[in-house]
Amino acid sequence: MPKVVSRSAVSSSTDARPTASSTAALRVYYCICGEFILVIDKSLTALPRRQTDGATVIRCQDTPEAKARVFKLNATPKDPILIERQGGHEKQYRFHCPRCALPVAYQTTPPPAKSGPYLYILKGALSQLQGQVPPDAFEDEKLLSDNTIA
C-alpha cells in the first residue's frame, strides 16, 4: 500500500501591512445575567448619549452625514410602551434579554431591530465583562435614595 504524505506551508510576513478587517476590533457586551446581547464595531462609551434618558445611541441606517454602525443585537422584542416626555409622549419598542427578560434596548419604530434610524441601549443594562454589573447600573438609584425623605 502506498504511503500518503501531506505537507503544508505556513507563510507570514512581518513586513505586511495590517488590513482594515484585522485592525477592526469588535466589542462584545453582556446582560447582567451573563447572556450575550450585543456585538458592535465601536465601544459604547465612545457613542453619543441621548439627553432625555442617558441611553446610548446606535445609528442603524446610513445618512449623508454619517455611516451606520455595524452591530448584532441578541434580544427579544416585546410589546411597546408609552413613555411620558417633556414635550409629549414617546412610544418605545423594547428589546429584552432572552434569558432573564431584563429590558436592554429600545427603538421608536416597530421590530425588527435596525428598522428605524437609531437603536438605544438603556443606561446600565450592558457590561463588557460577563457576569459583572456595569458601573452605571445603579446610578439613578443613588439619585433617588439621596432625594428620599425619611
Side-chain angles (χ1 to χ4, degrees), residues 26-41:
L26 295 176
R27 310 299 196 289
V28 180
Y29 291 89
Y30 302 92
C31 177
I32 292 172
C33 73
E35 181 73 11
F36 154 75
I37 299 293
L38 177 72
V39 62
I40 188 166
D41 64 344

Side-chain angles (χ1 to χ4, degrees), residues 47-133:
L47 295 175
R49 293 256 180 187
R50 193 169 187 206
Q51 290 182 345
T52 55
D53 58 2
T56 303
V57 180
I58 300 176
R59 183 180 296 278
C60 298
Q61 298 170 354
D62 288 335
T63 64
E65 299 84 39
K67 293 190 67 78
R69 300 261 48 108
V70 176
F71 70 96
K72 168 75 170 123
L73 181 72
N74 175 35
T76 309
K78 296 287 183 177
D79 291 333
I81 62 169
L82 200 60
I83 302 288
E84 191 173 340
R85 296 281 186 214
Q86 193 169 7
H89 294 86
E90 175 183 67
K91 196 175 207 178
Q92 292 183 355
Y93 295 86
R94 296 241 170 144
F95 294 93
H96 293 247
C97 172
R99 182 190 291 173
C100 70
L102 184 75
V104 293
Y106 67 91
Q107 63 187 16
T108 56
T109 56
K114 301 184 184 182
S115 63
Y118 303 103
L119 178 79
Y120 304 96
I121 303 297
L122 292 168
K123 187 168 122 182
L126 301 182
S127 173
Q128 276 195 289
L129 299 173
Q130 193 172 20
Q132 183 174 344
V133 177

